[in-house]
Amino acid sequence: MKKSILALASGAFILGAAEFVMMGILPQTAASMHVSIPAAGHYISAYAIGVCFGTLILVFGRKVPPKNLIILFMAIALAGNTLSAIAVNSPMLLAARFISGLPHGAFFGTATLIAKTLADKGKEAQSVSMMVTGQTVANMLGVPAGTMLSELLSWRLAFAILAAWALMTLFLVIVWVPFVAPIKDVGIKGQFRFLTHPGPWFILLAVFFGNSGIFCWWSYVSPWLQKTGGWSSAMVPMLMVLAGLGMVVGGIVGGRLTDMWKPGATAALSHFIALCGLLLVFFIPGNHMTTAVLTFLIGFALFFNSSPQQLLMVQAGEGGGELIAGAGVQIAFNFGNAIGSIVGGAALTATSMNYHFTGIAGAPISLLAVALLVIYTRRYETHTDAINRMREVQM
């Protein structure tokens, strides 16, 4: 991996860990802040809302070189995670989580552009997937480590380590990421011109619905593993490693398949796998084996679609809207996280905390994502660069 992509992957790691670590430490954080678990789900939503607002940085920073934007994003991540580590009450933690989310979507939109620009011809999706791998590795190693620290010491230590990681990444970006020219300045309005076409809306809505469905379950995966699967709290970090492994494998496979096939079809397949997993969460009685398999499977599906969706949107925004388009995926992703967390929490409240119902609450929403991407790939796929990047596969 090129050093520049490694530095970007390190940034993806800090943001991925900051986003997902709350799922593993939710019970401990809720107890420390003296709120219920469904109420603690708002810490997940606060991060996601921050992601949406953070895109304004790109709107007004369109003339700034992408490398300088990445440095700014790491500085904000450093501040947000530091505040999370020292939060003294629930409102302060909500505010800190909001700040931590501000750079997320803007980072991935900018980093996708840099990774695509620096990639060898024909390997754009693989380059993007390597950058996104930092986020998936965060789920395989960072989130379980944070969960374990929360079990053994304090959930605050997890955020303190993330703050230190953000500081390290800031220096890596300064040293390793080369200068990349700013995108074409087409004005504030011109950055959003790509949204006048229907194709990008299919992708963004699919990202939103797909993640809403998964996060009905994923937001509460830690108590689900304990209540439904019968796992002890001490084993949850190991299950988080398994979920993270699924995400890493899914991200790599998705990147390679996208370079050989159609991105929209690849993403549709991913959401279909997630849909099947959510239905199984509802229908299969929980035990150690089934919950472990489902944790891996849905984790695999969650990041299978990451690189195809990011690449499709950056291509859609070519001509001045690349950063906004790339960030749009993360906005839809995190807005879906927020809604999914709320819907999942409502399902738990309505069923007296029956964690099977987080799956059935999310399944119909994920079905919408599959339908949107099937329509997209049938109607618009040949109008992307995908057809030119297809390769003959020797059997």
Side-chain angles (χ1 to χ4, degrees), residues 162-373:
L162 290 179
W165 194 285
L167 182 61
M168 177 195 73
T169 303
L170 192 152
F171 286 106
L172 289 181
V173 171
I174 291 173
V175 175
W176 286 350
V177 175
F179 173 83
V180 173
I183 61 172
K184 179 182 178 181
D185 183 12
V186 292
I188 294 178
K189 185 178 179 180
Q191 293 181 88
F192 297 91
R193 189 172 293 119
F194 69 94
L195 291 176
T196 61
H197 304 288
W201 287 104
F202 277 87
I203 302 166
L204 292 174
L205 287 172
V207 174
F208 167 72
F209 285 122
N211 275 74
S212 293
I214 290 177
F215 271 76
C216 286
W217 164 81
W218 180 246
S219 296
Y220 306 96
V221 65
S222 179
W224 172 76
L225 287 167
Q226 297 174 59
K227 302 295 184 182
T228 301
W231 295 96
S232 67
S233 61
M235 285 300 297
V236 171
M238 295 300 102
L239 272 298
M240 292 295 98
V241 172
L242 184 64
L245 177 62
M247 294 174 190
V248 171
V249 174
I252 294 172
V253 172
R256 292 186 179 277
L257 184 58
T258 298
D259 276 333
M260 295 187 295
W261 197 32
K262 297 185 285 188
T266 302
L269 175 61
S270 172
H271 288 294
F272 178 74
I273 295 171
L275 168 63
C276 293
L278 291 171
L279 290 173
L280 292 174
V281 166
F282 177 72
F283 286 109
I284 294 181
N287 57 47
H288 283 183
M289 178 61 71
T290 58
T291 52
V293 171
L294 288 173
T295 297
F296 178 87
L297 178 68
I298 302 178
F300 175 90
L302 182 60
F303 277 90
F304 193 145
N305 55 45
S306 186
S307 56
Q309 290 172 163
Q310 284 285 160
L311 194 61
L312 278 173
M313 287 303 296
V314 170
Q315 289 174 345
E318 286 180 355
E322 294 93 335
L323 297 182
I324 297 296
V329 175
Q330 295 299 319
I331 293 173
F333 185 102
N334 282 274
F335 190 39
N337 296 357
I339 298 302
S341 175
I342 293 169
V343 172
L348 289 174
T349 302
T351 59
S352 300
M353 305 302 285
N354 186 330
Y355 287 91
H356 285 286
F357 280 86
T358 58
I360 201 63
I365 307 175
S366 287
L367 179 60
L368 290 173
V370 177
L372 285 165
L373 284 166

Side-chain angles (χ1 to χ4, degrees), residues 75-90:
I76 297 174
L78 169 61
N81 284 287
T82 300
L83 290 172
S84 296
I86 62 174
V88 296
N89 53 42
S90 188

